[in-house]
Amino acid sequence: MTGQVNAPTPFRDPPGGRKAVAVWSIGVAVYFVAVIFRTSLGVAGLEAADRFHVNASALSTFSLLQLLVYAGMQVPVGLMVDRLGTKRVLTLGAVLFTAGQIGFALSPTYGMVLAARALLGCGDAMTFISVLRLGTRWFPARRGPLMAQLAGLVGMAGNLVSTLVLAPVLHGVGWVPAFAGSAVAGLLVLVPLTLFLRDHPEGHEPPPAPPGGGGFVRRQIRDSWREPGTRLGLWVHFTTQFPAMVFLLLWGMPFLVEDQGLARTTAAGLLTLVVASNMGFGLVYGQLIGRRQSARIPLALGTVAVTALLWASVLAYPGAHAPMWLLVTLCTVLGTCGPASMIGFDFARPANPAERQGTASGITNMGGFLASMTTLLAVGLLLDATGDNYRIAFSSVFAVELLGLTQILRLRPQALTRERTRLAAAPAASGTPSESPRPAPA
């Protein structure tokens, strides 16, 4: 897009502080529970196949449908957050994903459990965009990258709970008690959410929302999509997130147990390593990007390159099984995928004004989940077609990474040029110096 660049609608940076941390913590607690529910199937894939008597393709449909609902809801959720506010959307999300988890525990048939996962995905879809919105409303702009990475880190802690807590509980007490019992967490987070969460600090109200209706929806989506930074953010998220998500959400445990010959406890330890690595790298990436915006592209592209290299090394290993040191290295590197995907929001955020942040974040957040859906389905279909040949099935990772990498390189020059122009115009438009960090050339 060419022509004059309009500066974002100026608004005063929120102060942050203890109250901001308390409110933000309520939001991330809701997201934490949502991730536990989302990833619970990852530790129960083999049990689900036995319980519902399904093959690999049908098993992948569980996660595929959940992610399809999640991805399809991102733009509507972004619009809802911009229109209705964070508290209402988070509350609705918590109710839906709790109902979905209860349905997942009690459903006796494959069709009913699919419906439960769809409901769970719908509620889950409302959490992360809402938490990002809380971060931008309660903390100064310079804290944006760090708060986004911290939110992702808390989400990965939810994944850790699935692996370390839910998995042994499932094996110990069985399907219904494990999943029905976990649903209590959804009810618990609703209490502080409804009593104490606020959309923004006093005196930092967002600009009045424009008139609703179809015109508002079309305008929000059109204006967000026209920004190269939004599209670049989507493709960064698309290319970086999915290798770890596919591994953790469904196919990691079967790959490590059935193809690599590991014991379940050892495989669970490697899944835990992915999550722990993600949490560690999340802090590093957040600090690096907060201090040097020019690190965004190198970190994103470097993550893609190293992830592809490690997957190629594991899949091409000449022996029947890859050595443990190589699997450990792969799982450590997969931990960088989540933090790298958060970089996408650091391109979309400065490209859009405050009143459009929810919509832009929703568009960006679709990327990784679209890639994950594609790969989940491809792996399942290839496993059935090749007689459970995991090496061929996981080769689909490279095709998806290549598509995303092409789009990142195509959009990068235009997005960064427009971002620099916008930030240079913002102080003149507001009449005050900009407090946001100025990105250097990347």
Side-chain angles (χ1 to χ4, degrees), residues 69-204:
V69 172
Y70 188 105
M73 285 289 293
Q74 287 309 292
V75 173
V77 167
L79 291 165
M80 290 170 64
V81 171
D82 287 338
R83 168 62 59 180
L84 302 176
T86 304
K87 181 173 184 175
R88 292 178 182 176
V89 177
L90 263 182
T91 302
L92 177 59
V95 170
L96 291 177
F97 68 60
T98 301
Q101 186 75 344
I102 294 172
F104 187 64
L106 302 178
S107 296
T109 65
Y110 178 68
M112 291 179 67
V113 81
L114 277 180
R117 292 307 283 188
L119 185 64
L120 193 157
C122 186
D124 181 20
M126 299 181 179
T127 58
F128 188 63
I129 300 303
S130 299
V131 171
L132 288 180
R133 176 75 166 205
L134 279 180
T136 60
R137 288 301 185 194
W138 281 90
F139 293 94
R142 65 182 181 275
R143 299 293 185 192
L146 180 59
M147 301 314 296
Q149 289 287 354
L150 287 175
L153 186 151
V154 172
M156 291 309 296
N159 204 325
L160 197 62
V161 169
S162 290
T163 305
L164 295 181
V165 178
L166 188 58
V169 170
L170 173 65
H171 299 147
V173 303
W175 184 279
V176 174
F179 287 110
S182 68
V184 174
L187 300 176
L188 292 177
V189 295
L190 274 169
V191 177
L193 171 58
T194 55
L195 293 179
F196 303 115
L197 190 131
R198 299 292 181 267
D199 287 352
H200 49 74
E202 285 188 32
H204 291 78

Side-chain angles (χ1 to χ4, degrees), residues 6-320:
N6 296 321
T9 302
F11 72 102
R12 293 183 298 126
D13 254 1
R18 293 182 178 179
K19 187 173 182 180
V21 171
V23 172
W24 181 82
S25 297
I26 295 172
V28 296
V30 178
Y31 176 55
F32 172 77
V33 174
V35 174
I36 294 175
F37 293 175
R38 178 202 306 169
T39 57
S40 58
L41 182 60
V43 298
L46 297 176
E47 288 81 0
D50 292 337
R51 179 178 177 86
F52 300 106
H53 309 291
V54 295
N55 59 14
S57 298
L59 184 60
S60 67
T61 305
F62 280 122
S63 295
L64 182 64
L65 177 63
Q66 182 180 333
L67 292 181
L68 179 63
V69 172
Y70 188 105
M73 285 289 293
Q74 287 309 292
V75 173
V77 167
L79 291 165
M80 290 170 64
V81 171
D82 287 338
R83 168 62 59 180
L84 302 176
T86 304
K87 181 173 184 175
R88 292 178 182 176
V89 177
L90 263 182
T91 302
L92 177 59
V95 170
L96 291 177
F97 68 60
T98 301
Q101 186 75 344
I102 294 172
F104 187 64
L106 302 178
S107 296
T109 65
Y110 178 68
M112 291 179 67
V113 81
L114 277 180
R117 292 307 283 188
L119 185 64
L120 193 157
C122 186
D124 181 20
M126 299 181 179
T127 58
F128 188 63
I129 300 303
S130 299
V131 171
L132 288 180
R133 176 75 166 205
L134 279 180
T136 60
R137 288 301 185 194
W138 281 90
F139 293 94
R142 65 182 181 275
R143 299 293 185 192
L146 180 59
M147 301 314 296
Q149 289 287 354
L150 287 175
L153 186 151
V154 172
M156 291 309 296
N159 204 325
L160 197 62
V161 169
S162 290
T163 305
L164 295 181
V165 178
L166 188 58
V169 170
L170 173 65
H171 299 147
V173 303
W175 184 279
V176 174
F179 287 110
S182 68
V184 174
L187 300 176
L188 292 177
V189 295
L190 274 169
V191 177
L193 171 58
T194 55
L195 293 179
F196 303 115
L197 190 131
R198 299 292 181 267
D199 287 352
H200 49 74
E202 285 188 32
H204 291 78
E205 291 78 8
F216 167 77
V217 172
R218 288 191 298 271
R219 185 168 58 251
Q220 288 285 95
I221 297 174
R222 179 197 64 205
D223 292 346
S224 297
W225 183 254
R226 280 181 175 176
E227 292 294 342
T230 305
R231 301 197 302 275
L232 177 60
L234 180 147
W235 284 106
V236 168
H237 199 269
F238 178 100
T239 313
T240 53
Q241 186 197 49
F242 80 94
M245 176 163 284
V246 168
F247 197 80
L248 290 171
L249 199 59
L250 183 61
W251 291 121
M253 181 69 78
F255 169 73
L256 294 172
V257 173
E258 296 180 350
D259 187 70
Q260 295 300 310
L262 301 181
R264 280 178 176 270
T265 54
T266 305
L270 289 176
L271 294 180
T272 304
L273 176 61
V274 177
V275 177
S277 173
N278 184 297
M279 297 171 71
F281 279 110
L283 293 174
V284 174
Y285 278 42
Q287 291 288 348
L288 285 175
I289 296 167
R291 294 175 181 177
R292 292 187 59 84
Q293 294 280 289
S294 59
R296 292 175 297 176
I297 287 291
L299 281 174
L301 296 183
T303 298
V304 174
V306 176
T307 302
L309 176 63
L310 264 297
W311 260 123
S313 301
V314 170
L315 298 179
Y317 192 80

